[in-house]
Amino acid sequence: MELRERPSSRQGYQRNIRSLPQSPLTAESRSDSRSDSRADSERSSYKTGATSLPPLQHKGHDEHDQLEPLDEENLDPGSFDLVAPAEKGTKQYSLETRSELLFSTEHLKEIFEDPDLLLQFTGFLSTYRQSSIPILIYHMDAVKALKALKYSNAIAESLEPISGFDFTVTGAQKTQNLELEEKARLSFAALVREDLPAYITHSYIQTVSLSIQRRITGTLPSHLREASEGLAEVFCLTDPSRPDNPIVFTSEEFHRTTQYGMSYVLGRNCRFLQGPKTNPFSVRRIREKVEAGQEHCEVFLNYRRDGSPFMNLLMCAPLCDSRGTIRYFIGAQVDVSGLVKECSDMESFRRLVNKSELSERREDEDDLRDEDRPKDELQDLSQMFNLEELDTVRRWGGRMRKENQETKNGDFNGGGNWSKPRVLISSGSPDGNEEYGGLSHGAGRLSGIYENYLLVRPYPSLRVLFASPTLRVPGILQSPFMTKIGGSNRVREGLTQALADGRGVTAKVKWVSKTDLEGRNRWIHCTPLIGSNGAIGVWMVIIVDDEASLAPHKRFKMAPPVDPKFGRSIPTHMANEGGSLRDFALSNGGRDGSLKAGRSSTGSHDEMERSESPYSVRIG
């Protein structure tokens, strides 16, 4: 068993703090252990899938802020330079500009241009946002119709004048449908406004959840610890029964992250974190969900007290009493500015940023632009065909130009692209499959690593006040928290002492339930939320399953297929044929396009070198 106490800089509630027994390791052995662990972690980076864990935040305002003082002998006569002049052409990084690009129309266009990326996006909609499938189908059909018009115009333009036929001298007028173009634009704008932010949020939750789990369990690589400061410790509690749903309790890390003091924060609504580039649609969605008493997750731009922006991953959920009445809202925040800056775990955004930077460097060059390249209108149109339309082309295409009648009724076995599976869009998850669930499974659920949490009254009561839906079994509310903690008495005593002293604590415990009296290995991460009087009002307790004890089937999810019949009035007889977006991407040389619904390390904790925190205390 293991228990780690987190240091706290706040003096208001740090009274009578007692030190736990020191580890028997000598200073030299601890130093060697940490250095070996750091070397191992930097070599392996604890790879998950194809990428390693990325830093969630970055220290400093800009990567070009490294200022080097100049020596006297390096100064020109009469020069007043104290530091080396900035390099010409160096563009300062702007999180606000990067945020606008992240949620832009160009980003979703980048996704639609690649079958593999489109697979991940449509798989996300099929699993978590089934109500958005009709607008997706509507947009794709509208674009298909526009491409058909372009193809017909291309054929009309290719008509050559024929001698002796005067009517062939003048060209045919182009066909244009402005109303259809507007409908396609508006449908795409709806996907950008509502579904792209949800997709981005879902992607970041996967990365953040893994980083938080590694931080809580002590397996986060040493070079990422500083870049993940405050993980699972930035919380605020709001009271919807009061006017404007003000903040009533906050954690210390909330004040450090936002730079606002307790006297300013408590009693105010969270909107003081908004700024000039905060997405108004994000604010509207959060407000609507809170008013409806539902949980919600959102990534959007917030601002600290000094005006500096940061990308905030907000997860909020209602807290209900034993009668189901909403009493408070809990909000968990994570600064993910580093993920946005490095374009981590989002290939579509990385490509868009690279294109944007490349176009800026080539502004003055006479390169061949996309609009100058020759286009194949038939190829553009063919890419939009569904299974039924492809089958029609296969059966009837080119009949007027065939010299000999070929096989009919499915006997065609020629080469080309006919044998390749095509995009299949389905209306939802398979019946009876519990692996496919939405972002909202019930009132009070937070996403990712925050799925299991308790709110506990401060010492000496330590009674469970609220619980997440996953832990809310009959009798848990108002029950003593310590009755859930089994195992070593030293761990129980150390945990009780830390809670009594008001110190944030992380511990590996035996979690006891009515069906498992011996208990299973779990990690608990306890963070105090402070009130206006400086005293602890409630403890936020995050409960994390031991990664090594998770079954492999619980770590991964496969995106379901998407049915072309859903949201359309045109019947199709191809509904039972095989094929999916994933098969389409794989058969065309794409990567594995399954939705990244979860990640796992390639080995268990026993196979890893554990990197201990300098504040860790081993008991047992």
Side-chain angles (χ1 to χ4, degrees), residues 393-407 412:
V393 174
R394 180 181 69 82
R395 292 173 183 271
W396 306 101
R399 284 178 84 85
M400 296 181 64
R401 300 181 184 274
K402 292 180 182 177
E403 296 182 1
N404 300 316
Q405 186 68 24
E406 297 186 356
T407 56
F412 182 85

Side-chain angles (χ1 to χ4, degrees), residues 119 387 419-426 560-564 574-585 587:
L119 159 70
L387 290 175
S419 61
K420 295 182 180 179
R422 294 292 171 172
V423 174
L424 180 64
I425 302 190
S426 143
V562 190
D563 186 359
M574 301 297 295
N576 295 325
E577 292 195 12
S580 65
L581 279 170
R582 179 178 183 274
D583 296 330
F584 174 76
S587 64

Side-chain angles (χ1 to χ4, degrees), residues 126 129-142 144 187 386 425-428 562-572:
S126 299
R129 295 178 66 87
Q130 298 176 16
S131 61
S132 297
I133 293 296
I135 192 65
L136 172 67
I137 298 296
Y138 183 93
H139 171 73
M140 297 181 75
D141 283 348
K144 187 190 307 177
S187 59
N386 59 28
I425 302 190
S426 143
S427 61
V562 190
D563 186 359
K565 295 187 301 180
F566 188 78
R568 304 171 69 178
S569 58
I570 301 177
T572 175

Side-chain angles (χ1 to χ4, degrees), residues 295 441-454 466-474 476 484 511 513 520 522 541-545:
E295 63 272 17
H441 291 267
R445 175 167 181 172
L446 294 175
S447 295
I449 204 66
Y450 296 114
E451 182 178 351
N452 303 316
Y453 67 87
L454 298 173
F466 300 104
S468 63
T470 55
L471 297 176
R472 192 163 177 170
V473 296
I476 191 171
K484 296 292 182 181
W511 187 260
S513 64
R520 60 170 169 159
R522 277 185 157 181
V541 181
I542 304 297
I543 301 170
V544 179
D545 287 316

Side-chain angles (χ1 to χ4, degrees), residues 386-562:
N386 59 28
L387 290 175
E388 183 180 14
E389 292 161 338
L390 285 172
D391 184 66
T392 300
V393 174
R394 180 181 69 82
R395 292 173 183 271
W396 306 101
R399 284 178 84 85
M400 296 181 64
R401 300 181 184 274
K402 292 180 182 177
E403 296 182 1
N404 300 316
Q405 186 68 24
E406 297 186 356
T407 56
K408 301 180 182 179
N409 300 326
D411 294 333
F412 182 85
N413 293 317
N417 204 42
W418 304 115
S419 61
K420 295 182 180 179
R422 294 292 171 172
V423 174
L424 180 64
I425 302 190
S426 143
S427 61
S429 57
D431 295 336
N433 191 340
E434 297 180 355
E435 289 297 317
Y436 299 98
L439 288 175
S440 300
H441 291 267
R445 175 167 181 172
L446 294 175
S447 295
I449 204 66
Y450 296 114
E451 182 178 351
N452 303 316
Y453 67 87
L454 298 173
L455 279 98
V456 179
R457 287 192 180 278
Y459 185 86
S461 172
L462 295 182
R463 288 187 174 273
V464 177
L465 191 60
F466 300 104
S468 63
T470 55
L471 297 176
R472 192 163 177 170
V473 296
I476 191 171
L477 299 186
Q478 301 299 337
S479 65
F481 170 66
M482 295 304 298
T483 60
K484 296 292 182 181
I485 309 300
S488 168
N489 286 333
R490 296 191 63 185
V491 172
R492 289 172 49 85
E493 292 171 0
L495 178 60
T496 303
Q497 187 63 58
L499 297 176
D501 292 338
R503 303 180 64 182
V505 60
T506 301
K508 186 176 182 181
V509 301
K510 288 287 187 179
W511 187 260
V512 178
S513 64
K514 293 182 179 179
T515 58
D516 187 3
L517 298 180
E518 292 186 1
R520 60 170 169 159
N521 290 334
R522 277 185 157 181
W523 289 82
I524 60 172
H525 190 75
C526 309
T527 302
L529 274 62
I530 316 302
S532 57
N533 59 355
I536 298 176
V538 67
W539 285 90
M540 180 69 175
V541 181
I542 304 297
I543 301 170
V544 179
D545 287 316
D546 193 18
E547 198 175 34
S549 63
L550 288 178
H553 71 277
K554 293 184 178 180
R555 301 181 185 178
F556 300 96
K557 293 182 181 178
M558 183 67 68
V562 190

Side-chain angles (χ1 to χ4, degrees), residues 120 124 196-209 299 313 339 344-346 595-596 599:
Q120 299 180 34
F124 165 76
L196 179 61
Y199 175 66
I200 294 170
T201 300
H202 177 77
S203 299
Y204 284 164
I205 284 176
Q206 312 311 309
T207 302
V208 168
S209 296
V299 174
L313 170 58
L339 298 182
S344 302
D345 291 338
M346 194 163 295
L595 184 65
K596 299 182 293 182
R599 292 192 172 190

Side-chain angles (χ1 to χ4, degrees), residues 349-365:
F349 189 48
R350 185 187 304 276
R351 294 182 187 179
L352 179 61
V353 170
N354 291 339
K355 286 183 179 180
S356 177
E357 294 176 349
L358 184 62
S359 63
E360 291 177 359
R361 290 196 297 267
R362 294 182 174 179
E363 283 181 353
D364 299 329
E365 298 180 8

